[in-house]
Amino acid sequence: MAIALTSFSSLPLHSLHQQFPSSSKYFTLPPITVSLSEKPAATVTQLTKLPIRKIPGDYGLPVIGPWKDRLDYFYNQGKNEFFNSRVQKYQSTVFRTNMPPGPFISPNPNVVVLLDGKSFPVLFDVSKVEKKDLFTGTFMPSTELTGGYRVLSYLDPSEPNHEKLKKLLFFLLSSRRDHVIPKFHESYTELFEKLDKELAEKGKADLNSGNDQAAFNFLAKSLYGANPVETKLGTDAPTLIGKWVLFQLHPVVSLGLPKVLDDLILHTFRLPPALVKKDYQRLYDFFYESSTTVLDEAEKLGISREEACHNLLFATCFNSFGGMKIFFPTMLKSIAKAGAELHTRLANEIRSEVKSAGGKITMSAMEKMPLMKSVVYEALRIDPPVASQYGRAKRNLTIVSHDAVFEVKKGEMLYGYQPFATKDPKIFDRPEDFVADRFVGEEGEKLLKHVLWSNGPETENPTVENKQCAGKDFVVLVSRLLVTEFFLRYDTLDVDVGTSPLGAKITITSLKKA
């Protein structure tokens, strides 16, 4: 999902952005969070009556400061405590620090951190921040990992190719809309049968590996009409993608190795792209052979078939597959931990509406499941699949938090850690708790503007002029399908939760069939 991955929400599938309307229809901003003027601080202070404050924090000595912050972030404190301790130290949700990887991968790790729901949305406003080459943060992976091209996720909307490539993704999603629900059912029924068998034989079942295979099979079948098992790719795609993604993200992840070894191997120098060149070529060949119609459309848009294919691979494997790989286990973890009462309510709602729809899962039937929809949004709020967003100030800005006004200079890097912004206690009651019906009803739906997983508010839509995830609605749809399919088949589940470099590791210990 970075597509933070890659898009379908409450809109019917047939309405998917085929006309690509201008951003003015969708891009209505909330009340002032950032103001631009000759005297921005005075203007904002007059409106908000908040004090003007110098941004607290510092970057430390060159090399040493970033290195120390990196050790705190990965090993000494961990992500949450890294940010929490600095909020407490500075008594501010806006402060200066260094973000990994730092030396010797990142040329400049200095950032201004935004950790509250009021200041955070400036990161979505492309009139105020530039998004060029910032998808992974203060460093950019080698383009050797993407065929020599800067793919869509790294392009700023001001760049000509951004519009062309985003239109291509909209075309892909729209042209294959009728295949999504049936292919999801097919692929995830196979997963459920595998889990049932593994549980019967071993008394427990690994969700993650099975979900990885089901997710890729579903994406290949629904978006490209290809069954990877019947090609040279076979069942290797999840493993190939995992290695390829690691070579892109290793500077900002930990594999749990001994600290000195982990930091030296992953965070100090870039891993050579040549080591995954053959793996990437296998993925590329699959997409090139399976994407004829989309590649034809790319040429009409003025994009070469080669560049288009590298972008389709990235959007599917990094964004969409990556999102499903991280988010699906995390969402099922939250549902499992919420308990049997919620499971019963979900099962009753889902089965009733599917029965009323003639026994079929349809878009309209899912629209009549307010609890199920709320559960998906709450999972996206509490554990967004892409936690970090970056933007570089295009000009001098003022940033407004709940407590103060801060001045940022042109060229400074802004960084937001989304799990803090979407657990802002001044916006959400019980922000740390999974509240299944949080978004039910008129008052609940008003909170959706604070659900930000898609690189924009849930109440707005991706366009060619913004950086909101092209697959926003697609991710919401498939997440709803997972919950719906699951509770048509099962009454309840129990899980054990572990950790992995990307998201939660889930072992299913019990499944009660309907």
Side-chain angles (χ1 to χ4, degrees), residues 180-181 184 361 366 477-486:
V180 173
I181 293 177
F184 191 93
I361 299 174
M366 288 191 292
L477 172 61
V478 297
S479 301
R480 291 177 177 181
L481 284 171
L482 178 65
V483 180
T484 301
E485 291 277 9
F486 187 90

Side-chain angles (χ1 to χ4, degrees), residues 233-254:
L233 200 54
T235 59
D236 293 343
T239 301
L240 300 177
I241 295 169
K243 291 166 63 178
W244 172 66
V245 169
L246 176 63
F247 272 66
Q248 296 173 75
L249 295 184
H250 72 85
V252 291
V253 300
S254 171

